């Protein structure tokens, strides 16, 4: 085990603004020390065995001093191996990354700096403000705002700053906002210079106040805008009027909880983010292999005898092919059976494996499949049904009624992932606008984690269901379903959410 430390810039808040190199380092780390400003959501990429340490120094919850962090980095590298130090923005822009690197050098521990996207540039971008612009601003100055201009410790030269015509960006300046503006005006900067304050840029909580140096302090007080925020001064601010792209996205400002399994959340999360939402993954379901393969293998060996193969989920397809492979078999062993997929996603998964689907029902439910097969299935036809351990019984019952001989294969299991309830409560407390459910089990598991008596916490949150079965389960569990997809796919779910939000405006 060799000690090695990565000092990683995690970007300004939008978790996707990390670099590929930074993400790879998170994946490789044995220990991760992270900040309050670094997106905690990036931690989902960590190894399951990685130790995660929150060294965030929130104002009222002072946990680790800088010296302690420096020491911890050295200690963890020596005892555990690869350490990732995740810092907000860029590690070397007011991030004290230099101090951490120096202490690693002193201890003889090899390290690497992985630059990040600094808030100084990206936060204005997301507010529609380019930090430089031809004929408007030809330089950019990034300044610390936490040295009170009137106190003796101040090393910032306001007189020089006031003379600059470029864009001024102050970080950590909210406590000294009034003084910063006062000093700049005192040294001759025109009071009608445009100014903006951007709070928690690049996230759903982004809040922007725009004015001039003259009125920005009053406007900030009025709108109660708080730290963390950047202060930007210069005529580039005016471009926001036309270039404000992020806040114009249809789902901007919405925090949406995704309860799908980690492996499957990607498509939903990606579509929500593309519409400007902040998607928070909190999987309430985990797909795991069966405990015993004996019965499965026995049934799979006779697969070519089936007249119908019905797949009811993407997970079922994946697990089915996994099992075939384990038996050292492939698609050739399937025989002549008709291949049915419950919906388009399942059909696509089958096609990806080289199997063309014969039928997809009009309605993507078990009832839809039964309707499709009515009149098609003959008495005594063998139907193979690879499915989850918790699948609804109605498909089997319906097939039996049609005279089929049904061979069910419990090809995968679903479990509630190991989660802390605290994490869910923390997410809900931070504010969630919509919770998405993509199957009945996501509803049931979510409610099991939340516990029925805490249902009140969901009062102001909209519930979105992928289809009628999931919606019915949600209602049974006492939830009010506000959004229901018209076509029972991820795309349909996202379309329904979008429609609901647009209708409201
Ligand atoms: N290394 C970081 C800056 C750390 S100093 C970087 O490169 O961005 C912390 C300050 O950064 C905050 O007080 C605030 O001024 C600014 N900041 C960081 N993230 C921000 C965000 N998402 N929105 C607004 N300001 C942010």
């Amino acid at each position: 085990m060799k000690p090695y430390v990565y000092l990683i810039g995690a970007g300004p808040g939008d978790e996707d603004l990390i670099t590929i190199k930074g993400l790879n380092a998170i994946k490789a780390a044995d220990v991760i020390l992270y900040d309050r400003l670094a997106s905690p959501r990036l931690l989902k990429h960590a190894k399951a065995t990685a130790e995660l340490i929150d060294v965030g120094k929130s104002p009222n919850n002072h946990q680790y001093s800088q010296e302690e962090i420096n020491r911890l980095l050295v200690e963890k590298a020596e005892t555990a191996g690869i350490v990732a130090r995740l810092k907000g923005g860029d590690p070397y822009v007011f991030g004290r990354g230099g101090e951490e690197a120096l202490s690693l050098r002193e201890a003889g521990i090899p390290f690497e700096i992985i630059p990040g996207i600094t808030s100084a540039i990206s936060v204005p971008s997301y507010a529609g403000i380019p930090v430089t612009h031809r004929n408007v601003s030809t330089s950019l100055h990034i300044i610390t705002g936490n040295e009170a201009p009137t106190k003796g410790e101040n090393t910032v030269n306001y007189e020089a700053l006031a003379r600059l015509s470029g864009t001024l960006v102050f970080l950590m300046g909210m406590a000294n906002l009034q003084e910063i503006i006062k000093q700049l005006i005192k040294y001759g900067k025109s009071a009608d210079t445009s100014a903006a304050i951007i709070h928690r840029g690049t996230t759903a909580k982004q809040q922007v106040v725009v004015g001039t140096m003259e009125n920005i302090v009053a406007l900030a007080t009025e709108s109660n805008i708080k730290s963390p925020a950047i202060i930007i001064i210069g005529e580039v601010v005016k471009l926001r009027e036309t270039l404000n792209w992020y806040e114009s996205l249809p789902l901007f400002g919405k925090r949406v909880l995704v309860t799908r399994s980690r492996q499957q959340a990607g498509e939903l999360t990606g579509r929500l983010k593309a519409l400007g939402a902040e998607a928070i993954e909190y999987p309430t379901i985990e797909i795991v292999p069966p405990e015993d393969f004996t019965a499965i293998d026995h049934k799979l060996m006779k697969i070519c005898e089936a007249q119908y193969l019905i797949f009811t989920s993407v997970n079922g397809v994946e697990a089915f092919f996994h099992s075939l492979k384990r038996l050292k078999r492939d698609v050739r062993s399937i025989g002549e059976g008709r291949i049915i997929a419950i919906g388009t996603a399942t059909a696509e998964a089958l096609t990806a494996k080289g199997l063309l689907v014969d039928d997809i029902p009009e309605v993507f439910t078990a009832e839809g499949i039964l309707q499709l097969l009515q009149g098609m299935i003959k008495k005594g036809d063998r139907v193979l049904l690879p499915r989850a351990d918790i699948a609804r019984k109605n498909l089997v019952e319906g097939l039996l009624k049609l005279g089929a001989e049904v061979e069910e294969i419990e090809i995968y299991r679903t479990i509630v992932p190991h989660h802390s309830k605290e994490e869910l409560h923390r997410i809900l407390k931070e504010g969630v606008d919509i919770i998405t459910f993509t199957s009945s089990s996501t509803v049931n598991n979510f409610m099991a984690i939340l516990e029925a008596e805490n249902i009140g916490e969901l009062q102001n949150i909209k519930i979105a269901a992928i289809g009628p079965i999931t919606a019915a389960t949600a209602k049974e569990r006492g939830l009010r379903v506000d959004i229901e997809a018209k076509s029972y796919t991820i795309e349909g779910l996202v379309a329904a959410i979008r429609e609901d939000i647009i209708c409201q405006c």
Side-chain angles (χ1 to χ4, degrees):
M1 182 215 52
K2 280 201 208 122
Y4 201 84
V5 177
Y6 293 101
L7 293 184
I8 310 169
D14 176 344
E15 62 181 308
D16 288 356
L17 289 179
I18 185 144
T19 62
I20 293 172
K21 202 167 183 181
L23 191 60
N24 287 339
I26 292 174
K27 288 178 184 166
D30 300 302
V31 181
I32 301 180
L33 274 67
Y34 63 98
D35 260 7
R36 189 171 53 102
L37 277 178
S39 174
R41 247 159 278 147
L42 287 167
L43 298 174
K44 69 172 181 245
H45 301 288
K47 289 196 287 203
T49 50
E51 184 189 359
L52 309 176
I53 308 172
D54 178 1
V55 294
K57 291 167 283 174
S58 69
N60 35 10
N61 177 24
H62 194 98
Q63 292 179 3
Y64 289 85
S65 67
Q66 188 60 50
E67 290 64 36
E68 281 167 329
I69 294 174
N70 296 353
R71 228 176 303 129
L72 200 60
L73 277 174
V74 173
E75 183 195 309
K76 288 293 174 187
E78 280 168 346
T79 54
I82 302 178
V83 177
R85 168 72 174 110
L86 206 54
K87 300 168 80 70
D90 179 87
Y92 279 180
V93 178
F94 301 126
R96 304 191 75 170
E99 291 164 57
E100 293 175 10
L102 283 171
S103 78
L104 290 167
R105 178 65 87 225
E106 201 176 302
I109 291 178
F111 63 85
E112 204 171 301
I113 309 296
I114 304 182
I117 295 186
T118 179
S119 61
I121 295 172
S122 55
V123 167
S125 294
Y126 270 53
I129 305 170
V131 286
T132 69
H133 192 72
R134 208 172 143 78
N135 300 329
V136 178
S137 164
T138 51
S139 64
L140 164 68
H141 311 270
I142 303 170
I143 308 135
T144 174
N146 79 348
E147 294 185 354
T150 45
K151 298 224 178 99
E153 81 239 31
N154 184 35
T155 54
V156 178
N157 184 344
Y158 280 87
E159 192 174 354
L161 287 179
R163 278 201 301 269
L164 294 168
S165 60
T167 308
L168 306 181
V169 171
F170 288 89
L171 269 58
M172 305 175 285
M174 286 310 279
N176 296 319
L177 175 67
Q178 191 166 6
E179 269 306 312
I180 291 170
I181 301 288
K182 205 166 130 190
Q183 292 290 316
L184 291 172
I185 294 178
K186 176 175 134 192
Y187 287 115
K189 196 152 185 79
S190 162
D192 22 287
T193 311
S194 299
I197 295 167
I198 311 160
H199 166 77
R200 292 192 62 176
T202 81
T203 74
K205 302 232 164 131
Q206 174 167 313
Q207 185 192 355
V208 183
V209 174
V210 179
T212 60
M213 294 227 295
E214 176 106 68
N215 62 12
I216 196 77
V217 176
L219 291 172
T221 315
E222 216 171 87
S223 56
N224 199 24
I225 194 164
K226 293 251 153 58
S227 187
I230 68 157
I231 304 160
I232 174 164
I233 296 170
E235 292 317 312
V236 283
V237 167
K238 288 209 172 95
L239 285 155
R240 172 175 159 83
E241 267 174 43
T242 27
L243 299 185
N244 181 8
W245 61 278
Y246 181 52
E247 291 163 40
S248 320
L249 292 172
L251 298 188
F252 163 73
K254 301 291 172 211
R255 285 164 57 93
V256 187
L257 198 71
V258 173
T259 56
R260 287 201 111 183
S261 71
R262 184 76 75 211
Q263 302 95 309
Q264 283 198 296
E267 191 198 344
L268 180 52
T269 311
R271 283 180 186 273
L272 290 167
K273 283 181 188 168
L275 294 175
E278 198 173 315
I280 306 155
E281 285 181 21
Y282 182 80
T284 60
I285 192 163
E286 193 178 328
I287 312 298
V288 292
E291 274 170 306
D292 180 15
F293 284 97
T294 328
I296 296 174
D297 291 353
H298 182 70
K299 288 173 188 173
L300 283 179
M301 295 303 268
K302 295 190 296 180
I303 183 174
C304 64
E305 294 170 17
Q307 273 82 32
Y308 291 92
L309 253 92
I310 303 180
F311 291 91
T312 55
S313 70
V314 173
N315 292 323
V317 175
E318 297 297 334
F320 175 82
F321 279 93
H322 201 266
S323 273
L324 270 193
K325 198 165 169 194
R326 208 171 26 76
L327 289 171
K328 300 213 169 1
R329 297 187 150 216
D330 64 19
V331 279
R332 286 169 297 178
S333 57
I334 288 176
E336 301 287 306
R338 220 177 156 76
I339 312 283
I340 318 262
I342 194 165
T344 43
T346 307
E348 273 162 29
L350 285 162
T351 313
K353 299 283 183 195
L355 266 189
L356 294 182
V357 173
D358 295 298
D359 301 291
I360 304 172
E362 264 174 46
V363 183
F364 302 166
T365 58
E367 290 72 16
I369 295 181
L370 290 171
Q371 206 159 22
L372 170 82
L373 292 181
Q374 212 159 22
M376 206 196 278
I377 276 197
K378 291 194 294 296
K379 199 169 161 45
D381 274 351
R382 291 175 66 97
V383 177
L384 202 71
L385 188 61
R387 59 164 184 76
D389 53 341
I390 44 145
R392 292 191 304 143
K393 287 281 165 223
N394 59 341
L395 181 56
V396 176
E397 284 161 10
L399 288 167
L400 290 173
K401 263 193 210 147
L402 293 176
E405 274 180 36
V406 185
E407 196 77 271
E408 291 178 78
I409 311 182
E410 281 186 17
I411 201 105
Y412 69 97
R413 289 183 303 138
T414 61
I415 57 168
V416 181
H418 192 68
H419 258 318
S420 65
K421 280 190 201 329
E422 289 71 37
E423 194 193 344
L424 179 60
H425 291 294
R426 185 182 56 74
I427 295 171
L428 292 175
K429 213 166 147 206
E430 272 178 19
V432 168
D433 300 286
I434 300 166
I435 301 178
T436 58
F437 291 116
T438 48
S439 66
S440 292
S441 17
T442 56
V443 178
N444 289 328
N445 294 359
F446 178 87
M447 289 308 292
I449 299 168
L450 181 76
E451 293 171 348
E453 67 264 28
N454 297 323
I455 201 163
E457 284 182 46
L458 310 182
Q459 211 166 22
N460 299 319
I461 304 177
K462 288 198 166 178
I463 304 293
I466 196 164
I469 311 288
T470 306
T473 308
K475 284 174 200 157
E476 267 166 40
R477 303 303 303 259
L479 298 172
R480 182 197 64 238
V481 178
D482 307 278
I483 302 169
E484 202 178 311
K486 288 196 192 81
S487 84
Y488 316 150
T489 59
I490 295 300
E491 200 180 351
L493 177 61
V494 174
I497 292 174
R498 182 186 180 150
E499 208 172 293
D500 181 86
I501 301 298
I502 290 171
C503 288
Q504 245 173 40
C505 299

